[in-house]
Amino acid sequence: MSATRRDFLGLAGAAPLAAAVGRRSRAQAQPRVVVVGGGFGGATCARYLSRADPDIRVTLVEPAQDFVTCPFSNAVLGGLRDLASITFDYAHVEAHGVELMRNRAVSLDPGARTLTLTSGQTLPYDRLVLSPGIGFRWGALEGYDEPAAERMPHAWKAGPQTALLRAQLEAMDDGGVVAIAVPEPPFRCPPGPYERASLIAHYLKTAKPRSKLLILDGSDSFSKQDLFTAAWQELYPGLLEWVPRSQGGQVIRVDPDAMVLHTDFEEVQVAVANVVPPQHAADIARAAGLDDGRGWCAVDGGTFESTVHPGVHLLGDAILAGAMPKSGFSANSQAKVCAAAIAASLRDRPPPKPALINTCYSLVAPDYGISIGGVYEVLDGEIVAIKGAGGVSPQDADRDFRRREADYARSWYANITTDMFG
Ligand SMILES: Cc1cc2nc3c(=O)[nH]c(=O)nc-3n(C[C@H](O)[C@H](O)[C@H](O)COP(=O)(O)OP(=O)(O)OC[C@H]3O[C@@H](n4cnc5c(N)ncnc54)[C@H](O)[C@@H]3O)c2cc1C
C-alpha cells in the first residue's frame, strides 16, 4: 500500500498536474489506524505510530479528558503526593499528530473493519489497536458491586476512587483497622497491593500509630515477597500483618453496610476496607469476542495481533502476554513493538524483531525502593523471559541501595509519563 503512495509522491515531483493528482490519491490511500484507550498501551502506541510514519492517520479514542496513572497512586494514598501530580492531559499527544476523539468505543465489526462509538459514529480502520485495560467482575466476590465500591473503594483504576480511599484513611480514628483484600491472580500489577500496603502503613505509622493494617490475601505467595517481608519486619513491625490464603486470608464475602469482610475462618470488622476485585479484560475486548470466552485476550507476541480477529491488535492489561506481567511498563514496551509491526506491515514489510522489557519498582517507604525486572523475546509467537537478563533487588542490600532504588522509581515514572504525555 505504502509503495503505491510513495510512487505517487515520486511522480508528484515531476509536474504540477501530477502533483495535484498525487496529493489526492495519497489522501485516498492514506492508511488509518484507530487506537482505543489513551492509557499506558494506547497513548504510547498512538504516538509511536505517528512518529514511525507520519503518512499514517492515527486516531486515538478515549472518553476521559485527563489520564490519572495507577503508578504512583499508592504514593497518593500514603500522603506522599497529590492526585494532580499523577494526572496528565493529551495536549502533547495531539501535538504529535494524533487525532483525538473524546468518545467511548462500544463495538467493532472485524469483517468490515469498522469501530462504532457511543456517539453512533462509525470509524473505518486498516488496523485497530485496543488497549482498554481491565474491567471488574462485579459480583464475583459476593456483596461487591458498584455501589459497594463507594463504601469499600477498590482504587484499582486511579482517579476518584483513589481520592475516596485517601479521604477514608484521613478520616479514620487512630487505632482503626484497615484491610486490603487481594484477589486470586491474574490481576493488574502483581506487586501493587503490597506496595499499597507498605505506603498506607507508612502513613499510619507517622499519623495514626495505634492503627493496624491487614492484607487479606487470595494467594499464598506474591511478587517480591521476600523483599517486602524483610522490609515490613524492619519498618512496620506489629502494624502490618499479611494473612495468606492457607491461613484464612481469602475474602469470600463483603458486607459494606456493616463494614465486615468475611473469610473462610472469621468475620473481620474494619474501619477502612480496600477491596481489589477479581478482574478481566475491559468490556470492549470481551464484547468483540477477542477473549475467546476466557476473560483475557490472546495475541501473537511479535505483532500483538489478535489470534481471534486479524487486523485487530491488543496491548496491556487486557492480554495474556506470556511471561510479561500486567504493568504499565509492559504495556508501554508492547505498544512500541506493536507500532513498529503495524507501520512495517502497512509498507508491506515484515515486522522487526521484537525486544520487550519491564521493570516494576515498588516503594516500601518514601526512601526505600525495591524492583523486579525482565527482558523478553518471542519464540513461536509466545513471549518468554530471557534467562539471566532480569532479576530482583538483592535481598541483603543496605539502606543506601534502597534509597537509590526509590530515586530510580521516581525517575522511571518521570521518564515513562514524558514518553506518553510529555
Ligand atoms: C495501584 C497500582 C499501582 C501500579 N503501579 C505500577 C507501577 O509502578 N509500574 C507499572 O509499570 N505499572 C503499575 N501499575 C499497572 C498499570 O497501571 C497498568 O498495567 C497499565 O495502566 C495498563 O495499561 P493499559 O493500556 O492496558 O490500560 P490503562 O492504562 O488503564 O488504559 C486504558 C484506557 O482505556 C480507556 N478505555 C477503556 N475502555 C474504553 C473504550 N471502550 N473506549 C475508549 N477508551 C476506553 C480508559 O479510559 C483508559 O484511559 C499499577 C496499577 C495499580 C492498580
Side-chain angles (χ1 to χ4, degrees):
M1 186 184 291
S2 173
T4 313
R5 259 186 0 256
R6 289 186 197 288
D7 289 351
F8 268 115
L9 284 173
L11 286 172
L17 178 63
V21 172
R23 271 199 299 278
R24 259 203 318 279
S25 301
R26 177 172 174 258
Q28 282 159 6
Q30 186 180 30
R32 186 181 200 182
V33 181
V34 176
V35 181
V36 173
F40 277 82
T44 309
C45 192
R47 277 186 80 150
Y48 276 76
L49 271 166
S50 180
R51 189 181 294 177
D53 187 347
D55 288 344
I56 300 174
R57 179 177 176 191
V58 183
T59 306
L60 177 63
V61 180
E62 166 61 57
Q65 282 298 314
D66 297 318
F67 184 74
V68 187
T69 68
C70 284
F72 277 79
S73 65
N74 288 332
V76 174
L77 296 175
L80 309 177
R81 278 180 176 248
D82 59 17
L83 263 185
S85 75
I86 60 165
T87 303
F88 298 84
D89 67 34
Y90 291 94
H92 288 103
V93 177
E94 284 188 282
H96 280 79
V98 174
E99 174 189 27
L100 188 60
M101 297 192 82
R102 307 268 187 210
N103 223 304
R104 178 171 286 279
V106 284
S107 62
L108 58 118
D109 181 338
R113 298 210 172 195
T114 57
L115 179 78
T116 302
L117 310 181
T118 325
S119 61
Q121 203 175 347
T122 297
L123 305 181
Y125 62 78
D126 294 290
R127 294 293 171 128
L128 178 69
V129 180
L130 300 178
S131 194
I134 53 162
F136 297 121
R137 291 169 50 208
W138 299 115
L141 169 60
E142 195 183 334
Y144 200 70
D145 52 15
E146 281 186 85
E150 293 305 309
R151 190 77 188 87
M152 297 178 158
H154 53 77
W156 219 242
K157 289 184 184 178
Q161 278 272 308
T162 315
L164 176 63
L165 181 55
R166 174 65 190 162
Q168 291 183 351
L169 291 166
E170 285 182 298
M172 189 186 82
D173 291 336
D174 188 5
V177 174
V178 181
I180 300 177
V182 185
E184 278 182 73
F187 54 83
R188 156 175 284 185
C189 194
Y194 313 97
E195 179 190 65
R196 174 169 292 180
S198 307
L199 293 183
I200 292 177
H202 168 77
Y203 168 67
L204 297 177
K205 181 178 168 179
T206 37
K208 299 176 182 180
R210 293 190 294 121
S211 308
K212 173 109 185 157
L213 177 67
L214 290 174
I215 306 172
L216 301 174
D217 208 327
S219 296
D220 278 332
S221 61
F222 59 91
S223 173
K224 295 180 268 192
Q225 182 168 352
D226 292 344
L227 289 162
F228 272 115
T229 306
W232 291 341
Q233 278 162 7
E234 183 183 340
L235 301 172
Y236 311 120
L239 195 161
L240 188 162
E241 184 186 346
W242 175 62
V243 188
R245 182 188 179 118
S246 58
Q247 289 171 35
Q250 188 181 26
V251 174
I252 54 168
R253 183 157 67 89
V254 304
D255 182 345
D257 293 329
M259 286 303 285
V260 170
L261 300 174
H262 297 261
T263 70
D264 274 332
F265 295 154
E266 58 178 339
E267 296 177 3
V268 186
Q269 181 77 50
V270 297
V272 175
N274 169 211
V275 177
V276 181
Q279 297 156 29
H280 50 198
D283 288 359
I284 179 73
R286 287 179 302 105
L290 290 157
D291 68 330
D292 227 357
R294 288 178 298 175
W296 306 102
C297 307
V299 294
D300 177 287
T303 59
F304 292 90
E305 190 165 8
S306 163
T307 56
V308 178
H309 292 312
V312 179
H313 300 247
L314 291 132
L315 305 168
D317 288 355
I319 65 171
L320 294 165
M324 292 187 94
K326 296 188 187 304
S327 78
F329 198 169
S330 292
N332 173 273
S333 180
Q334 294 160 5
K336 292 170 186 174
V337 168
C338 178
I342 290 176
S345 104
L346 292 173
R347 289 188 199 116
D348 298 322
R349 291 188 194 145
K353 189 171 160 27
L356 293 155
I357 50 168
N358 176 63
T359 303
C360 285
Y361 290 100
S362 299
L363 291 180
V364 188
D367 59 353
Y368 195 122
I370 55 178
S371 65
I372 181 166
V375 186
Y376 308 88
E377 63 183 339
V378 179
L379 297 178
D380 298 328
E382 277 293 307
I383 300 173
V384 296
I386 298 175
K387 285 199 176 65
V392 294
S393 310
Q395 191 69 30
D396 56 358
D398 60 19
R399 283 303 289 271
D400 193 47
F401 190 96
R402 305 292 190 220
R403 196 169 295 115
R404 284 205 303 278
E405 284 230 274
D407 287 340
Y408 298 153
R410 286 182 277 268
S411 298
W412 168 82
Y413 183 71
N415 289 335
I416 198 163
T417 52
T418 302
D419 193 35
M420 294 162 63
F421 298 112

